[in-house]
Amino acid sequence: MPAHPKLATEFVKNKERAHWHDQSLWFVRSKRDAASQQIPEWELLREQASKIKSYTVSHLPDLLEDFEKNATAKGVHVHWARDAKEHNEIVHGILKQHEVTKVVKSKSMLTEECHLNPYLERHGIEVIDTDLGERIVQLQNKPPSHLVMPAIHIKKEEIGELFHEKLGTEKGATDPQYLTEAARQHLRQKFIGAEAGITGVNFAIAETGGFVVCTNEGNADLGTSLNKLHIACMGIEKLIPRANDLSVFLRLLARSATGQPITTYSSHFHGPAPRAEMHVVLLDNGRSEISGSDEFRRSLNCIRCAACMNTCPVYRRSGGYSYEATVPGPIGSTLSPSKDAKKYSSLPFACSLCGSCTDVCPVKIDLHHQLLTWRKEIRVRGLLPFSKRISMKMMGWMMQAPRLYRFVGKCARAIVPRLPRFLLYNRFNAWGKQRELPDFPKQSFREWMKKNHDNK
């Protein structure tokens, strides 16, 4: 069985957790809907953001050069990395040059993509994730399961046990305020002892050479202001052309992500502080190749709000770890095959094609269309499992023959309700238990049809 269906099967075995995970994410989606409805020009903002990002991707080389020139003029050291290996070597080289052994890092999915933490730890550097959710999963030695809420899959009782083991909190404590305060005191000591701060980048402005980091906890500000070395890691697609464009994205980002009007902190960095040093590492890692694809370049418009994950029925019911990718959910199912189509060949099929992800995307990425295109691409590359190929071929034959289609429908209606349960729900049907069949009438198909016809 391919990776995603197998891991999804394991996730849904715990029905209580699967239901809780589903409802938690749908609650966030509902908050997003309420926040967006408070802005009459919401769809206009989405359209404008889409156009800005499309312009950025199509003019990426020029805008990157503008950003480098303007950032350098502000005293920022700009580095270029072709892939994750180069990125990690550059960051390590900067830290080694400054004899840094302790680093604090705010939330950055790009560093997760490059596996920066384990790389630096292998070279004797302590890396502490300072976002609360990130720190929780780091203490578990696991990656984030969600772009914005890294520990959304963990219950407070489990966090209480983890903190008791790692931070020495009271055994059995589950009060969120108490646990948060314990994490705050723990992280405060890490901030004070750090020798460098690493952040991600939400938006970089080509016109000014500055960049913006959005957080709700202020950890990026604290991590970069208490020491003299700031390293910002960003994908080349994070650019926007002008400072005026920033207001469009700041209004969309938080509302789409968590239903907030704006993130608590939107920190602007325009060069290093006095007697300090600032570095920006620009990472490609396959992004240039995606930008040259007519079918998939729109996926680079993503601003990592995770709205598509909060609404996706597959992600909500299978969890982030079932994707085995740095970026899960619909956007991850689009981006991951671009890097390794064979490894992630099952992800484009982890989709119902309902289009809800496309509907909520703040930059109007046509995600479900791209996933459908990836399915065709997986087939063309010969990566589709035989079982799926033969079942789709048989379905195609049936769809092309109306009489056969009607006959099979009648047979299914008459036979399926009488089949033993183990034939309907088994290890070959990963989603069977989540798609319970309705209660069928206790009569023959002919009798049921006649009754329904009479009622009409």
Side-chain angles (χ1 to χ4, degrees), residues 402-412:
R403 290 184 180 179
L404 177 61
Y405 178 83
R406 288 193 294 269
F407 174 75
V408 171
K410 291 179 180 179
C411 290

Side-chain angles (χ1 to χ4, degrees), residues 25 28-29 32 107 109 145-150 252-253 255-258 302-312 315-316 327-331 357 360-362 367:
L25 289 165
V28 180
R29 157 68 203 269
R32 175 262 175 205
K107 185 150 67 66
M109 293 308 296
S145 70
H146 189 279
L147 290 181
V148 176
M149 300 170 285
L252 289 167
L253 178 61
R255 288 179 170 89
S256 297
T258 58
C302 177
I303 60 174
R304 301 298 193 268
C305 69
C308 60
M309 299 177 193
N310 300 336
T311 196
C312 176
Y315 176 87
R316 296 199 324 263
V327 179
I331 184 62
C357 51
V360 301
C361 178
L367 286 164

Side-chain angles (χ1 to χ4, degrees), residues 7-145:
L7 294 172
T9 302
E10 292 299 315
F11 185 84
V12 299
K13 281 181 179 177
N14 188 333
K15 292 184 178 181
E16 181 183 355
R17 180 182 292 275
H19 179 72
W20 169 77
H21 188 266
D22 176 23
Q23 293 302 306
S24 297
L25 289 165
W26 187 253
F27 171 73
V28 180
R29 157 68 203 269
S30 300
K31 288 177 63 181
R32 175 262 175 205
D33 291 347
S36 65
Q37 290 168 8
Q38 293 174 3
I39 302 181
E41 65 273 23
W42 179 256
E43 290 303 320
L44 182 62
L45 287 171
R46 291 181 69 213
E47 185 65 33
Q48 184 70 9
S50 177
K51 290 179 179 178
I52 293 170
K53 293 298 287 186
S54 295
Y55 176 87
T56 300
V57 173
S58 62
H59 294 79
L60 200 52
D62 294 335
L63 292 174
L64 284 168
E65 290 181 2
D66 289 344
F67 175 79
E68 180 187 33
K69 180 184 68 176
N70 294 324
T72 302
K74 287 179 165 58
V76 180
H77 301 273
V78 179
H79 308 264
W80 300 81
R82 282 176 294 191
D83 53 30
K85 181 175 181 292
E86 278 194 10
H87 169 273
N88 293 345
E89 289 173 350
I90 290 169
V91 174
H92 177 241
I94 298 169
L95 296 175
K96 185 177 180 180
Q97 179 185 348
H98 291 79
E99 299 181 346
V100 171
T101 59
K102 295 181 179 180
V103 173
V104 288
K105 182 166 71 70
S106 66
K107 185 150 67 66
S108 164
M109 293 308 296
L110 182 135
T111 59
E112 293 290 340
E113 174 187 335
C114 297
H115 305 290
L116 178 65
N117 285 19
Y119 180 89
L120 294 179
E121 289 166 355
R122 288 196 300 270
H123 289 81
I125 298 174
E126 179 189 64
V127 185
I128 301 297
D129 284 309
T130 57
D131 175 88
L132 178 56
E134 289 265 358
R135 185 57 179 153
I136 290 169
V137 295
Q138 186 182 35
L139 289 172
Q140 289 188 328
N141 294 315
K142 293 181 179 180
S145 70

Side-chain angles (χ1 to χ4, degrees), residues 203-364:
F203 306 103
I205 306 165
E207 180 184 53
T208 66
F211 59 91
V212 177
V213 180
C214 301
T215 68
N216 278 326
E217 301 170 25
N219 50 314
D221 302 75
L222 199 56
T224 57
S225 61
L226 292 179
N227 53 70
K228 299 299 182 181
L229 178 60
H230 177 189
I231 304 174
C233 306
M234 63 170 277
I236 57 175
E237 83 285 5
K238 290 299 180 106
L239 277 175
I240 55 175
R242 304 167 303 170
N244 284 343
D245 299 327
L246 185 61
S247 61
V248 175
F249 293 96
L250 290 180
R251 296 183 75 191
L252 289 167
L253 178 61
R255 288 179 170 89
S256 297
T258 58
Q260 299 170 247
I262 195 169
T263 49
T264 307
Y265 299 89
S266 298
S267 307
H268 297 243
F269 295 92
H270 293 274
R275 297 180 299 282
E277 200 169 298
M278 179 181 289
H279 296 256
V280 174
V281 185
L282 298 167
L283 176 68
D284 188 322
N285 206 29
R287 289 164 172 80
S288 293
E289 185 177 349
I290 297 174
S291 70
S293 166
D294 292 336
E295 292 84 4
F296 304 117
R297 69 160 58 100
R298 290 183 298 280
S299 62
L300 294 178
N301 293 2
C302 177
I303 60 174
R304 301 298 193 268
C305 69
C308 60
M309 299 177 193
N310 300 336
T311 196
C312 176
V314 177
Y315 176 87
R316 296 199 324 263
R317 293 168 174 82
S318 64
Y321 291 148
S322 64
Y323 292 79
E324 288 193 315
T326 301
V327 179
I331 184 62
S333 298
T334 301
L335 291 171
S336 297
S338 298
K339 295 180 180 178
D340 190 336
K342 184 176 182 180
K343 179 180 179 181
Y344 299 110
S345 61
S346 67
L347 295 190
F349 297 91
C351 173
S352 66
L353 297 179
C354 65
S356 185
C357 51
T358 300
D359 291 340
V360 301
C361 178
V363 288
K364 303 189 77 170

Side-chain angles (χ1 to χ4, degrees), residues 131-193:
D131 175 88
L132 178 56
E134 289 265 358
R135 185 57 179 153
I136 290 169
V137 295
Q138 186 182 35
L139 289 172
Q140 289 188 328
N141 294 315
K142 293 181 179 180
S145 70
H146 189 279
L147 290 181
V148 176
M149 300 170 285
I152 185 65
H153 61 289
I154 308 174
K155 292 189 174 184
K156 62 182 180 180
E157 292 81 8
E158 296 169 305
I159 296 173
E161 293 175 9
L162 178 69
F163 280 14
H164 172 67
E165 178 187 347
K166 302 291 186 178
L167 307 184
T169 58
E170 296 177 10
K171 185 174 179 59
T174 59
D175 178 56
Q177 184 174 349
Y178 169 76
L179 296 175
T180 302
E181 182 61 26
R184 181 175 180 268
Q185 296 302 325
H186 160 71
L187 287 171
R188 186 56 56 92
Q189 298 307 311
K190 299 297 183 181
F191 279 122
I192 293 172

